[in-house]
Amino acid sequence: MLSAETLEKIINISHTIALKRNDYFVKENEICNYVGIVKKGTLYSYFEDSEANMLVNELYNEQSIITSYRSFLTEIPSPAFIKAYSDTEIYVIEKKHTMN
């Protein structure tokens, strides 16, 4: 859980995006340029195997830190999808703001 002070600092340098249920935060093979904190709602991260079976590997709820970490750091395409399970709001910081 983030402290109130840490969350306030993040909110001050971020902007909010809204995702509807089944919208993507990032898709497989896209570069993730955001790191975020879930304000409300739920999301999940998953891979698809060779038979198109969905393999869920992460769940995100309120105050979860959300990003495709390797993609965000290295600018390599994301190996997974991150998708909204419910209508969601996320405080996001774009990568260009973290590099200053």
Side-chain angles (χ1 to χ4, degrees), residues 7-15 92-94 97-98:
L7 186 56
E8 173 117 8
K9 287 178 182 178
I10 291 168
I11 291 168
N12 288 335
I13 63 169
S14 67
H15 67 277
V92 294
I93 302 169
E94 294 180 55
H97 294 299
T98 64

Side-chain angles (χ1 to χ4, degrees), residues 65-77:
I65 297 171
I66 185 170
T67 192
S68 180
Y69 189 69
R70 181 175 62 176
S71 178
F72 181 77
L73 290 179
T74 64
E75 297 185 1
I76 293 173

